[in-house]
Amino acid sequence: MIAVDRFNGGSKTMTLAGAVGIVGLVLTAVGFFTAPQPTMFSYLFGFTYWLGISVAAIIMVAIFHTAKAKWITILRRTMETMGSSVFVFALLVIPLLLGAKYIFPWVNHGTDWVFPGTDGVKFTEVELHHLHHKSPYLNLPFLYVRQAIYFAVWIFVSWRLRTWSMEQDTTGALELTVKQRRFSPGSLPFLALTITFAGFDWLMTLTPLWQSTIFGVYYFAGSFLAAFCVLTIATVNAQGKDEYGTLVTTAHYHNLGKLLLAFTAFWAYIAFSQFLLIWVANIPEEAGWFKLRIEGAWKPLSISLFVMGFAVPFFTLLSRNLKLKPRLLAVVAVYLLIMHAVDLYWLIWPAYSPQGPSFHWTLITSFIGVGGLAVAAAMWQARGRYTLPVKDPYISESLRYVQP
Amino acid sequence: MSPSQSVLLSYFDSEEHVLDATRAVREAGYAVHDVYTPYAIHGMDEAMGLKPSRLTWVCFGAGVLGATSALSLQYYTSVVSWPLNVGGKPFNSFPAFIPVAFELTVLFAGLFTVAAFLLRSKSFPGSKREALPRVTDDRFVLALRADESDAKVKALLARHGALEVEQMEVAS
Amino acid sequence: MSNQHTSTLRVPLVSEERTLGQLTEEICAPMERKPSRMWWVAFALAVVTLAVGVGMVTYEVSTGIGVWGLNKTIGWAFDITNFVFWVGIGHAGTLISAILFLFRQKWRTSINRAAEAMTLFAVMCAAIFPVIHMGRPWNAFWVLPYPNDRGSLWVNFRSPLLWDVFAISTYFTISAVFWYFGLIPDLATVRDRVKGGLKKAVFKVLSFGWTGSSRTWHRYETVYLLLAGLATPLVLSVHTIVSFDFATSVIPGWHTTIFPPYFVAGAVFSGFAMVLTLMIITRVVLGFEHLITIRHLENMTKVIIVTGGIVSLAYGTEFFIAWYSGNPYEKFTFMNRAFGPYAWAYWTMVTCNVVSPHLFWFKKVRTSPAAIFVLSLVINVGMWFERFVIIVTSLHRDFLPSSWSMYTPTVVEVGTFVGTFGLFFTLFLLFTRVLPIISIGEVKSVAAFARGSHAPGHASHPAHGSETPHEHPAEAPEPLPTPALAAAVVRKDMPV
């Protein structure tokens, strides 16, 4: 007999994560006063990494509602909790906006920007002219407005779906399921637009004279994969009292494994499409972004990203036996999370260090700082609630899910 | 295995019954020759104690073969046999070789797997084998390596909803 | 597959109760009775249209491609538009048969066979265009890399057009194999129904000696899953490679990195519209309303909303980046699309693809076959215009203004395009006569939902699965963890 009650554990994890987060952020702040530019790039790295996972979790919930997926019901609360931590990022984005001039060359039409790693190289006249053309989009006030819109959408969607879902824990009203399923499809266009433009804003405009229409999808693909990894790891570790992990069957893990495989391939597909099109067309205004990464000092990292980020996990996940073993699957998920970090580093860092990969200690502090706070926020949200939607009309079906 | 053997056939009219019966006779220690059904029954592989098919390995191997053949062909034609400067691209344009490599991976994997399936299950155009009556329509048949004279198995089958029982010679 | 625990809230997949025997009877009926008058009328029309196409192609091949409206500036127009259009339509078939299979969407079972056949016929129609565009189609084999006495002079593996050759031929081969593989058990069913004669002999050969052995079924299911797993990335790759035809170039309006996923979404979008068009006709003509239910149609309209949304998002992103890039050529191309001489085509595309799918948000529209039928045609038109807009508007304003030109299709081009519809419908109509157009085996396996205890109306309590003796107790935690977990009540009034 398994008894599931409201979850009240995890206080240790929460405190620890919160402490790590605060220490990390304090150290990052120290880093900022000693070396502002690399610290801001590091902070952007930590921020986009964790935020992407949180937003991807919101999108996941909306997608599964839209698709009326039933097997996933048991895992849904965890996704909702991951998404609920998005409010923390509404605060964490502020330092990013305040320090925008250290990372975004387009601030002030590019006139103040000095290329890092050079002795005083600035934009040329022609380049400034191009930046001026983009200034209706690339200006700080509009950036602030956009961030406000993104976070409003994310917080609202996450809050709305999660509140209904938790209300059902007590009332068991079927109407709430109907509401969630009606609301989700309508929210998807907004989620798609915001994640696309968030990807443009935070990552693509680091190189303001370069553009790629697929870039938003690329950021989304990586984040979505990472969110599945976090979901897998959380599920494998949720074996304590009142936690849902004990109710999860191998069939669920099998599906999670398949999703990891599918999204590893999807990420690689998007990455390859972007690369191949720019590489073959070889237009000067576009090729520079890849030239920096596939020639010279960044080349080894680019190749290893292809091999270690796609080939290795893809062939590993093809194995059926692996997908049926939760512990092994969690190991692969951790590996993929590391690869996602390498991917973001590969996207961000060449803008700061075009001469080659380099390390700055704030990369670590901001990563664990933002991550610690996000995890603590999620744990805080999880406490006092059921770890699975106990009165969802499909929960018994999900609990008994077998591979069809 | 001998080319033909005598089996005890029992007819059922539903998926549930034939599954129950299969589980029951296996528990009772009888060897299941085969179960003939109009559609794939979920859980029948477990009931019969079948091992997962090894055709996945054929598929994987054929895929690897396809990828390597495609890459070698492209490398040989573009770099070794007749290197030609097209649009300033390098002779060994590896990124541009990936699409064809992918297509041939899928082509090889698909064709080899189906071929292996046909070989393994001895299916081919012109095969003389015939299905038992109504099996491709609405009958489920459990074929046991047992003898008609065994009253115990007949009772067991009847208890699980067998409509009819008969002895027959089948190709193994 | 009926022994899975199912919620009482589920809607049955087959809407009327049928025994297994009745299902066999019904699905085989269209191919066993004499064709109806309507079938003959449709077939005659299709053959006549096909004849027009054959005539046009014969004239074109014997005269030269000068009979088309192409010129020095616009070297690609109608032919490639039609090629992309038909390939795109084919994609829905694979999506339904492979991707929905991997997602275990059981509602696919009554439409997958016809959709797969549609894929094959659509790809045949598509392949005609590049081949006749070669001008000397009898030399078509030159696109293959084979040792020859010219040196050996090899094909150019860096060209996306060659990737297309591999993609389309692989796609056709694997789709055909997948389709035939799915047919084998049903061919055996037909074989066992036929009393004798030539038909029996033919089906005997075609069914490969299928006996319904569970040992074979077990392997069969593995291979089916593998084929579905292969077909899924394959279908994505095909339209990706088709998009590469354009996107690897440096032509404004063609070279943009979103093309691969955007083309795939567009293909699924148009393909589902075509499946709907065909299915709505088929279910009425053959009387399959209870097998291809309103629910099937509704699910497909939902796929249309999603893919239509992705396509709209791509249009928007492209427009934004065209401005954002500050590239004057890009900007010009997009302004020219919206306000230039082909603005009518552009706005037709926007109306059909961006605006019209949103009517499907209304349940009334989603459940009315007549409305769906009209909208599916509208979307097909819209997606044809999408390819036309991309191809022609990008080409007709060259970098060099002295080369600016306009394109008007000639009668031969229109006739050829119309002819491909003739081919498509001729093949499809023949298919409905000679093969079971619904997968008998798969429908039987889901028909359990309509039988006895599985239908919502019959269920007395939610955990009925535990009653059936063969349910594995190990697969489900029993008894249910807390009273809260078992709280799902039977409600038939909820549209969940």
Side-chain angles (χ1 to χ4, degrees):
Chain A
M1 186 82 187
I2 314 148
V4 173
D5 210 333
R6 287 173 186 272
F7 173 64
N8 274 313
S11 60
K12 221 183 229 170
T13 319
M14 185 175 77
T15 329
L16 185 69
V20 167
I22 288 166
V23 170
L25 287 180
V26 168
L27 286 175
T28 311
V30 173
F32 180 77
F33 290 110
T34 53
Q37 198 165 33
T39 307
M40 283 313 295
F41 273 101
S42 304
Y43 186 71
L44 179 70
F45 163 74
F47 178 82
T48 47
Y49 184 88
W50 293 103
L51 175 80
I53 293 175
S54 184
V55 176
I58 300 172
I59 299 177
M60 237 181 237
V61 176
I63 288 179
F64 283 123
H65 275 308
T66 306
K68 301 191 175 176
K70 296 163 194 78
W71 70 272
I72 195 97
T73 311
I74 185 170
L75 306 172
R76 203 184 68 219
R77 182 55 48 78
T78 308
M79 293 188 279
E80 288 165 354
T81 310
M82 281 158 66
S84 71
S85 65
V86 76
F87 74 92
V88 179
F89 293 93
L91 302 174
L92 288 173
V93 76
I94 294 169
L96 201 60
L97 299 178
L98 295 178
K101 66 169 181 178
Y102 294 106
I103 42 177
F104 296 123
W106 48 263
V107 175
N108 207 4
H109 304 339
T111 44
D112 301 339
W113 182 257
V114 176
F115 282 97
T118 65
D119 31 315
V121 175
K122 301 184 93 177
F123 281 117
T124 64
E125 270 312 302
V126 179
E127 288 169 337
L128 283 176
H129 176 75
H130 276 293
L131 281 180
H132 189 75
H133 166 83
K134 297 180 190 214
S135 60
Y137 185 79
L138 295 180
N139 62 70
L140 284 176
F142 191 33
L143 179 74
Y144 301 155
V145 172
R146 289 198 303 270
Q147 305 307 310
I149 297 172
Y150 303 159
F151 280 101
V153 170
W154 296 335
I155 292 173
F156 177 71
V157 174
S158 151
W159 168 80
R160 191 62 279 180
L161 288 174
R162 186 162 179 268
T163 314
W164 276 331
S165 168
M166 290 190 312
E167 203 184 318
Q168 203 174 38
D169 285 353
T170 40
T171 66
L174 288 180
E175 283 83 358
L176 291 167
T177 300
V178 180
K179 278 183 182 168
Q180 293 174 55
R181 289 187 166 186
R182 286 234 177 95
F183 178 81
S184 295
S187 72
L188 278 177
F190 297 97
L191 293 172
L193 271 174
T194 47
I195 188 83
T196 304
F197 278 87
F200 287 170
D201 283 356
W202 294 330
L203 300 169
M204 197 172 85
T205 65
L206 289 173
T207 319
L209 291 173
W210 179 77
Q211 59 275 323
S212 168
T213 36
I214 209 175
F215 199 87
V217 186
Y218 182 75
Y219 178 53
F220 164 75
S223 301
F224 211 65
L225 174 62
F228 273 120
C229 294
V230 174
L231 180 62
T232 309
I233 296 166
T235 306
V236 172
N237 287 301
Q239 304 295 339
K241 185 175 170 300
D242 299 330
E243 293 178 45
Y244 68 103
T246 43
L247 301 171
V248 174
T249 66
T250 35
H252 293 109
Y253 285 115
H254 195 182
N255 273 11
L256 279 174
K258 288 183 211 164
L259 285 167
L260 288 181
L261 175 69
F263 280 93
T264 304
F266 181 68
W267 168 80
Y269 163 66
I270 298 293
F272 178 71
S273 297
Q274 170 167 280
F275 167 67
L276 183 74
L277 290 179
I278 291 175
W279 182 82
V280 171
N282 207 13
I283 305 177
E285 63 257 35
E286 282 183 351
W289 196 86
F290 273 110
K291 187 177 162 61
L292 174 65
R293 284 164 176 80
I294 62 168
E295 287 177 7
W298 283 95
K299 185 178 178 176
L301 188 70
S302 301
I303 292 173
S304 47
L305 192 60
F306 172 73
V307 177
M308 311 280 283
F310 166 67
V312 171
F314 181 81
F315 286 107
T316 311
L317 282 167
L318 279 180
S319 155
R320 183 185 140 93
N321 285 339
L322 182 134
K323 283 182 282 211
L324 297 175
K325 295 198 177 78
R327 290 275 147 203
L328 277 178
L329 200 59
V331 172
V332 176
V334 170
Y335 173 83
L336 282 169
L337 280 176
I338 297 170
M339 281 303 129
H340 181 52
V342 175
D343 181 28
L344 276 177
Y345 175 79
W346 177 83
L347 286 176
I348 294 172
W349 210 251
Y352 167 69
S353 169
Q355 62 277 8
S358 65
F359 177 76
H360 194 265
W361 58 273
T362 51
L363 277 169
I364 303 288
T365 59
S366 49
F367 184 81
I368 61 165
V370 177
L373 275 198
V375 171
M379 289 307 286
W380 179 60
Q381 294 281 328
R383 280 166 54 81
R385 274 112 191 188
Y386 289 105
T387 53
L388 71 167
V390 281
K391 286 192 187 171
D392 188 285
Y394 291 106
I395 189 69
S396 73
E397 198 169 324
S398 175
L399 283 171
R400 294 152 163 277
Y401 176 72
V402 290
Q403 280 295 325
Chain B
M1 262 190 232
S2 58
S4 121
Q5 65 185 120
S6 179
V7 290
L8 187 67
L9 299 179
S10 44
Y11 290 79
F12 297 85
D13 67 349
S14 86
E15 164 185 338
E16 286 83 7
H17 289 148
V18 76
L19 256 176
D20 286 344
T22 311
R23 290 206 180 101
V25 292
R26 250 174 59 85
E27 265 166 45
Y30 293 95
V32 175
H33 172 73
D34 210 335
V35 182
Y36 300 93
T37 59
Y39 56 88
I41 293 178
H42 186 68
M44 186 52 93
D45 45 347
E46 285 163 51
M48 289 171 70
L50 297 179
K51 288 201 197 80
S53 167
R54 286 165 301 176
L55 286 167
T56 43
W57 288 105
V58 175
C59 186
F60 182 78
V64 172
L65 178 69
T68 36
S69 331
L71 287 174
S72 341
L73 173 72
Q74 295 181 85
Y75 185 84
Y76 171 73
T77 56
S78 314
V79 182
V80 181
S81 175
W82 192 321
L84 196 63
N85 185 335
V86 182
K89 297 276 173 292
F91 295 138
N92 181 17
S93 296
F94 178 71
F97 295 163
I98 290 181
V100 171
F102 174 81
E103 297 303 327
L104 289 190
T105 306
V106 172
L107 185 68
F108 275 51
L111 294 182
F112 275 84
T113 310
V114 171
F117 165 81
L118 295 178
L119 280 177
R120 182 66 187 81
S121 55
K122 295 178 198 128
S123 308
F124 52 91
S127 165
K128 290 271 186 296
R129 277 189 299 183
E130 285 195 21
L132 293 162
R134 286 176 72 182
V135 156
T136 58
D137 184 6
D138 61 351
R139 276 287 176 273
F140 302 78
V141 183
L142 170 59
L144 280 183
R145 296 204 186 108
D147 198 71
E148 210 169 3
S149 54
D150 186 346
K152 214 174 79 195
V153 71
K154 281 180 98 170
L156 186 67
L157 290 168
R159 203 164 62 241
H160 283 95
L163 303 171
E164 201 182 314
V165 179
E166 64 169 322
Q167 193 81 20
M168 202 178 162
E169 289 281 312
V170 293
S172 56
Chain C
M1 302 186 183
S2 66
N3 65 343
Q4 206 185 333
H5 178 78
T6 38
S7 168
T8 49
L9 297 171
R10 280 187 190 256
V11 184
L13 287 164
V14 180
S15 62
E16 289 166 31
E17 279 194 30
R18 290 286 192 282
T19 63
L20 296 178
Q22 280 171 326
L23 283 171
T24 317
E25 202 64 46
E26 268 181 348
I27 299 173
C28 294
M31 46 185 295
E32 286 164 3
R33 63 178 174 233
K34 282 223 158 60
S36 65
R37 184 186 292 264
M38 234 161 105
W39 187 89
W40 278 115
V41 172
F43 189 68
L45 262 174
V47 171
V48 169
T49 326
L50 171 61
V52 170
V54 172
M56 292 301 172
V57 171
T58 315
Y59 174 64
E60 182 270 320
V61 171
S62 54
T63 317
I65 49 171
V67 299
W68 288 355
L70 301 176
N71 53 47
K72 268 194 294 183
T73 311
I74 303 153
W76 270 7
F78 231 67
D79 49 346
I80 306 299
T81 303
N82 299 337
F83 165 72
V84 182
F85 173 77
W86 277 119
V87 174
I89 286 190
H91 280 24
T94 321
L95 189 107
I96 290 171
S97 56
I99 301 183
L100 295 187
F101 176 76
L102 294 183
F103 279 115
R104 309 295 180 180
Q105 298 290 309
K106 295 203 182 82
W107 60 272
R108 76 187 251 294
T109 48
S110 49
I111 50 173
N112 70 333
R113 171 74 43 74
E116 283 166 37
M118 191 193 83
T119 296
L120 293 178
F121 306 150
V123 175
M124 286 179 197
C125 293
I128 289 174
F129 289 98
V131 171
I132 57 174
H133 196 174
M134 288 173 183
R136 288 182 289 167
W138 52 92
N139 282 338
F141 65 93
W142 284 3
V143 300
L144 299 174
Y146 64 98
N148 51 61
D149 54 11
R150 295 180 290 274
S152 300
L153 181 60
W154 298 102
V155 288
N156 175 18
F157 280 106
R158 299 174 199 89
S159 161
L161 298 182
L162 187 74
W163 306 342
D164 245 350
V165 171
F166 280 85
I168 301 290
S169 46
T170 302
Y171 184 45
F172 185 79
T173 314
I174 294 293
S175 300
V177 168
F178 194 30
W179 177 70
Y180 194 82
F181 191 72
L183 260 171
I184 294 175
D186 288 1
L187 293 172
T189 303
V190 178
R191 171 197 68 195
D192 294 346
R193 286 174 62 81
V194 182
K195 294 285 174 292
L198 179 68
K199 196 171 172 190
K200 178 115 188 164
V202 169
F203 277 92
K204 209 166 174 174
V205 171
L206 292 179
S207 59
F208 287 14
W210 181 268
T211 58
S213 146
S214 282
R215 291 179 194 277
T216 310
W217 271 120
H218 174 59
R219 274 179 223 121
Y220 178 88
E221 293 253 287
T222 307
V223 175
Y224 199 86
L225 184 66
L226 288 172
L227 285 177
L230 290 170
T232 302
L234 177 65
V235 68
L236 300 186
S237 83
V238 171
H239 232 62
T240 297
I241 290 175
V242 168
S243 84
F244 285 169
D245 291 349
F246 306 102
T248 51
S249 72
V250 294
I251 292 171
W254 283 10
H255 178 70
T256 179
T257 47
I258 198 125
F259 257 34
Y262 153 46
F263 264 52
V264 172
V268 174
F269 180 56
S270 67
F272 266 76
M274 192 53 134
V275 177
L276 278 170
T277 314
L278 285 179
M279 288 299 121
I280 290 173
I281 300 174
T282 312
R283 70 197 284 272
V284 175
V285 173
L286 302 181
F288 283 167
E289 276 103 337
H290 59 284
L291 291 171
I292 304 169
T293 62
I294 295 284
R295 175 162 169 228
H296 290 99
L297 304 181
E298 205 184 337
N299 279 351
M300 285 192 270
T301 62
K302 288 177 185 168
V303 176
I304 284 187
I305 302 179
V306 171
T307 48
I310 298 175
V311 169
S312 309
L313 183 69
Y315 291 163
T317 318
E318 260 192 319
F319 236 95
F320 168 73
I321 294 285
W323 166 80
Y324 175 86
S325 71
N327 179 333
Y329 308 107
E330 283 283 335
K331 231 171 76 182
F332 171 80
T333 302
F334 279 86
M335 291 313 277
N336 184 49
R337 270 185 196 174
F339 305 108
Y342 288 109
W344 58 274
Y346 181 80
W347 293 108
T348 310
M349 163 190 111
V350 170
T351 317
C352 298
N353 292 352
V354 180
V355 182
S356 77
H358 292 290
L359 288 172
F360 285 137
W361 287 101
F362 301 102
K363 179 115 186 161
K364 267 230 171 72
V365 180
R366 282 205 309 269
T367 49
S368 148
I372 301 174
F373 186 70
V374 173
L375 276 174
S376 73
L377 291 176
V378 166
I379 291 167
N380 272 318
V381 170
M383 282 308 290
W384 187 87
F385 271 102
E386 180 199 291
R387 281 69 175 247
F388 182 81
V389 165
I390 291 174
I391 293 165
V392 174
T393 64
S394 295
L395 285 177
H396 87 128
R397 292 292 177 255
D398 201 352
F399 287 108
L400 201 62
S402 63
S403 315
W404 285 11
S405 179
M406 289 294 286
Y407 165 78
T408 328
T410 62
V411 177
V412 181
E413 283 171 295
V414 178
T416 311
F417 181 46
V418 172
T420 50
F421 277 96
L423 174 64
F424 183 78
F425 282 104
T426 306
L427 292 170
F428 194 82
L429 286 165
L430 285 176
F431 164 67
T432 62
R433 292 289 315 150
V434 298
L435 293 169
I437 71 157
I438 291 181
S439 173
I440 306 174
E442 288 195 38
V443 167
K444 280 179 187 165
S445 73
V446 298
F449 284 106
R451 280 205 308 270
S453 64
H454 289 272
H458 294 264
S460 50
H461 64 96
H464 76 90
S466 52
E467 286 180 340
T468 36
H470 59 265
E471 185 85 22
H472 279 301
E475 279 168 1
E478 274 188 312
L480 285 171
T482 58
L485 286 177
V489 269
V490 182
R491 288 276 296 270
K492 276 172 280 173
D493 55 327
M494 305 296 305
V496 182

